Amino acid sequence: MKKSRPAKPYSHRRRLPKGGRARSVPERQGALVIDHLGAGGDGMGEIDGHKIAVAKALPGEHIRLSYHGGRGRVLELLSASAQRIDPPCPHFVDCGGCQTQHMASE
């Protein structure tokens, strides 16, 4: 009589293609107008029907960005929002703990 082995638990690891290396998808660059703020305080916009979240971007701003998947980062601020102010904390740019210090309280 053959013994049965217990089933292996489902692995959440992604399978790699043959050759053992994942293909890297290059970052793209483009221009974007921020429509609104997302739940985490990120500026949200759309490129080719895909929603992109950009940290430290405000509604109404026109930016040049680098993006990969649904996340982007500002390369250049082409036109600033009327709501943009200088953040009161000197660590705002590096820390990221307070998402909206660069936005006027109104």
Side-chain angles (χ1 to χ4, degrees), residues 6-99:
K8 288 184 180 181
Y10 179 75
S11 174
H12 291 285
R13 286 189 283 172
R14 192 176 81 189
R15 290 184 179 242
L16 296 176
K18 288 186 179 181
R21 291 177 44 173
R23 285 183 241 148
S24 63
V25 178
E27 283 192 347
R28 297 179 182 181
Q29 292 187 1
L32 177 68
V33 175
I34 302 298
D35 297 331
H36 62 280
L37 288 180
D42 294 339
M44 301 295 293
E46 226 177 272
I47 296 179
D48 297 330
H50 300 285
K51 292 184 187 256
I52 308 289
V54 183
K56 298 180 178 74
L58 297 173
E61 290 185 331
H62 188 197
I63 60 171
R64 193 169 65 80
L65 77 156
S66 172
Y67 63 97
H68 180 266
R71 299 287 309 165
R73 63 185 173 87
V74 177
L75 297 176
E76 183 181 0
L77 183 62
L78 301 174
S79 68
S81 169
Q83 297 174 332
R84 182 170 287 278
I85 60 169
D86 290 329
C89 178
H91 307 288
F92 173 72
V93 175
D94 299 322
C95 175
C98 305
Q99 291 90 348

